[in-house]
């Protein structure tokens, strides 16, 4: 006969599955953050400035980077468990994929501001 589980262990198990659920629910954010074009015009082959394209990318990408960086950190604390190690690696890969788009978006926004084509005031 198995000894009864403690309340703390059951709570920890529920929190683990809640964390996995949050990671799965945030997949659309990561997907859009990774594939949205920074400049929609350049993506269509038009040489023009897109003043709000980089902000649209950051709207999806910034929360995704935060969620998956936290997920990678929390799951990497227990690398001996295969499930945690796999989740940590997947989270780290998503951070890299979305992070590349975040960096490019910030660079595009900086270039637009430096050339003064996009005004920040009303």
């Amino acid at each position: 006969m198995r000894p009864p589980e403690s309340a703390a262990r059951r709570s920890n198990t529920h929190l683990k599955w809640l964390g996995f659920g949050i990671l799965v629910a945030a997949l659309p954010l990561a997907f859009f953050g990774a594939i949205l074009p920074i400049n929609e015009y350049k993506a269509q082959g038009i040489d023009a400035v897109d003043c709000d394209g980089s902000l649209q990318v950051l709207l999806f990408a910034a929360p995704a980077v935060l969620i998956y960086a936290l997920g990678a950190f929390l799951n990497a604390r227990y690398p001996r468990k295969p499930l945690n190690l796999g989740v940590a690696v997947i989270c780290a890969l998503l951070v890299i994929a979305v992070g590349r788009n975040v960096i490019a978006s910030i660079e595009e926004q900086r270039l637009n501001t430096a050339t003064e084509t996009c005004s920040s005031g009303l």
Side-chain angles (χ1 to χ4, degrees), residues 11-61:
S11 175
N12 194 17
T13 303
H14 292 302
L15 286 176
K16 179 176 80 170
W17 289 109
L18 176 65
F20 290 154
I22 290 170
L23 291 175
V24 169
L27 276 174
L29 280 176
F31 178 72
F32 285 121
I35 68 161
L36 278 176
I38 295 157
N39 187 330
E40 294 177 17
Y41 300 119
K42 287 182 183 175
Q44 296 172 9
I46 304 168
D47 189 25
V49 176
D50 186 9
C51 291
D52 62 345
S54 59
L55 293 177
Q56 289 175 353
V57 171
L58 289 176
L59 179 71
F60 289 104

Side-chain angles (χ1 to χ4, degrees), residues 38-110:
I38 295 157
N39 187 330
E40 294 177 17
Y41 300 119
K42 287 182 183 175
Q44 296 172 9
I46 304 168
D47 189 25
V49 176
D50 186 9
C51 291
D52 62 345
S54 59
L55 293 177
Q56 289 175 353
V57 171
L58 289 176
L59 179 71
F60 289 104
V65 167
L66 292 174
I67 290 169
Y68 286 104
L70 183 64
F73 172 74
L74 291 176
N75 283 295
R77 292 183 308 158
Y78 306 106
R80 296 197 190 274
K81 295 181 180 180
L83 178 64
N84 290 69
L85 183 61
V87 170
V89 167
I90 290 170
C91 286
L93 291 173
L94 284 170
V95 167
I96 291 169
V98 176
R100 289 180 58 227
N101 218 10
V102 168
I103 292 169
S105 175
I106 292 171
E107 182 67 21
E108 180 79 16
Q109 187 69 28
R110 188 186 64 78

Side-chain angles (χ1 to χ4, degrees), residues 1-13:
M1 184 171 227
R2 250 177 55 193
E5 284 188 73
S6 68
R9 184 169 174 92
R10 277 183 293 194
S11 175
N12 194 17
T13 303

